[in-house]
Amino acid sequence: MTTTHSAPPASPSPTRTVPSGQLRDFTARAFVRVGLPQTDADTIADLMAQADLQGSDGHGIIRLPQYVQRIEAGGIALRPDIRIVEERAATAVVDGGNGMGHLVVSRAVEIAIEKARTAGVAWVGTRASNHAGPASLYARMPVAHDMIGLYFAVGNANHLPPWGGMEMLLSTNPIAAGIPAGDEPPIVLDMATTVAAYGKVKAKAKRGEPMPEGWMIDRQGRPLTDPHRAHEGFLLPIGGHKGYGLALIVGLLAGTLQGAAMGRDVIDFNADHTTPTNTGQAILVIDLAAFGGAGPFKAAVDRLVRDIRDSERLPGVERIWLPGEQSHGRRADYAAHGVPVAAGVLADLDRLAARLGIAPLDGG
């Protein structure tokens, strides 16, 4: 008989809708309070608010207390020297100087866009970076320039063993892609190489919700559904052994290639707040102008999107969705009506505000 480590019966935590501008301003105030320059604080706060706006609630303001804790402990540099350390016409390696990942990866994407305009294609990787939020934020950035963005990253804690093993040597190692379209929303894929990203586990815990079976198992191979007991098990890869292989390849490309941490060198930033993580990320940018121009490509994407959306559906299926469509809809909805924030997250933010001596989330 298989035993499931289930979460105890509980009602989900209530949520409150908060205007995204309030989330952004509160986040910036907190970062300035712990010593970040105002411009850097604003940049990071804007990206974190964008994460919440698109529904990536495991990577938005929920992460603020953890980021602040690492900064206060000296685990993240307040004024990093973000610089190119290796460069060719279509490639670069960016050393992030142990700065906030949002700053490091944003700079890497800017460099890749600049290089792709000349070379057609550009690969820019990072080392000495940190957690940077949802992968889709950075894959989307080239789309505004009629370019394709492909993003890869090494996760900031190992939650995945090799297929058939028990030692957690791999992380969620996400992949994201941003594909421009014409009249249709861009196609934006953002996926962990595990069934669920660990940020989703954190979000479930804050909302008082159990995890679905299939996200995690314990060390006896039994389903684990209580997010508060996540430390007792590990995440499962997508597609079994195929997901394990994909996580390995992404880690080699985003981490090892740039001299960043991979395998046993990955620091668990949930438990260690002082050791530099040496996180690695990579962005591949493709300029549509180098492949016949943006117009024909985006028109073809529109046709394909409509063919897929209008194709025959299984009984009971109301709509076929394209990657990124639901996030696109949430972004518009949350911008107009506010972002839902779980009560557990709000309580954490109130405690953070009191400790830092800044105006609370609803008092700014």
Side-chain angles (χ1 to χ4, degrees):
M1 178 177 175
T2 299
T3 302
T4 301
H5 287 310
S6 300
S11 300
S13 297
T15 62
R16 191 177 88 215
T17 55
V18 181
S20 63
Q22 285 190 18
L23 297 179
R24 182 178 59 249
D25 293 346
F26 177 81
T27 300
R29 289 200 303 273
F31 281 135
V32 169
R33 186 68 170 180
V34 294
L36 262 70
Q38 184 72 59
T39 53
D40 289 350
D42 289 341
T43 297
I44 301 164
D46 184 64
L47 288 167
M48 290 173 64
Q50 286 186 43
D52 281 314
L53 271 173
Q54 68 181 28
S56 300
D57 56 354
H59 289 296
I61 201 165
I62 190 176
R63 298 279 184 169
L64 180 60
Q66 182 180 20
Y67 292 153
V68 167
Q69 186 174 14
R70 278 193 65 81
I71 290 169
E72 290 180 321
I76 294 176
L78 291 172
R79 287 168 172 76
D81 179 16
I82 301 173
R83 68 193 192 282
I84 296 174
V85 292
E86 301 281 352
E87 185 173 24
R88 294 192 181 182
T91 64
V93 176
V94 174
D95 187 298
N98 196 32
M100 285 289 292
H102 304 71
L103 302 175
V104 181
V105 180
S106 294
R107 180 62 186 134
V109 175
E110 290 173 0
I111 294 167
I113 290 171
E114 293 167 6
K115 286 182 171 292
R117 285 199 178 99
T118 301
V121 176
W123 176 283
V124 178
T126 71
R127 67 187 187 210
S129 182
N130 279 286
H131 188 271
S136 56
L137 290 183
Y138 307 103
R140 286 176 56 88
M141 287 179 177
V143 171
H145 301 270
D146 283 340
M147 299 180 183
I148 292 171
L150 300 174
Y151 176 82
F152 312 88
V154 178
N156 285 90
N158 286 340
H159 297 292
L160 176 69
W163 187 247
M166 290 180 61
E167 185 178 356
M168 291 186 285
L169 294 172
L170 299 168
S171 188
T172 55
N173 294 357
I175 305 170
I179 311 291
D183 296 326
E184 298 290 341
I187 296 174
V188 181
L189 174 70
D190 184 347
M191 54 175 272
T193 48
T194 48
V195 175
Y198 199 71
K200 291 184 179 293
V201 177
K202 289 174 174 281
K204 286 286 188 185
K206 290 299 180 185
R207 290 197 298 265
E209 298 172 354
M211 298 182 290
E213 286 195 23
W215 279 20
M216 300 190 75
I217 57 174
D218 68 13
R219 292 181 176 275
Q220 282 71 50
R222 298 171 297 193
L224 181 61
T225 62
D226 184 349
H228 297 287
R229 300 176 64 180
H231 61 281
E232 298 178 18
F234 40 78
L235 293 169
L236 290 169
I238 56 172
H241 65 281
K242 296 180 181 179
Y244 148 63
L246 191 57
L248 173 62
I249 298 303
V250 170
L252 291 169
L253 291 174
T256 307
L257 183 60
Q258 281 78 232
M262 175 62 176
R264 288 196 177 98
D265 293 332
V266 170
I267 301 297
D268 183 350
F269 84 146
N270 300 295
D272 182 341
H273 305 295
T274 59
T275 305
T277 63
N278 189 21
T279 300
Q281 297 105 353
I283 183 76
L284 173 65
V285 175
I286 303 170
D287 187 359
L288 298 180
F291 294 86
F297 178 85
K298 294 198 291 186
V301 172
D302 279 355
R303 289 194 298 272
L304 180 59
V305 165
R306 291 161 188 160
D307 285 346
I308 290 172
R309 185 186 296 131
D310 297 337
S311 62
E312 186 175 1
R313 301 186 295 275
L314 286 168
V317 175
E318 294 184 2
R319 174 168 177 164
I320 294 175
W321 295 94
L322 277 294
E325 270 193 310
Q326 294 184 71
S327 294
H328 181 78
R330 273 192 293 269
R331 194 174 291 108
D333 180 30
Y334 292 174
H337 303 109
V339 177
V341 182
V345 176
L346 292 169
D348 287 345
L349 298 177
D350 284 344
R351 285 189 288 269
L352 180 66
R355 185 170 67 77
L356 295 181
I358 61 174
L361 182 59
D362 59 358

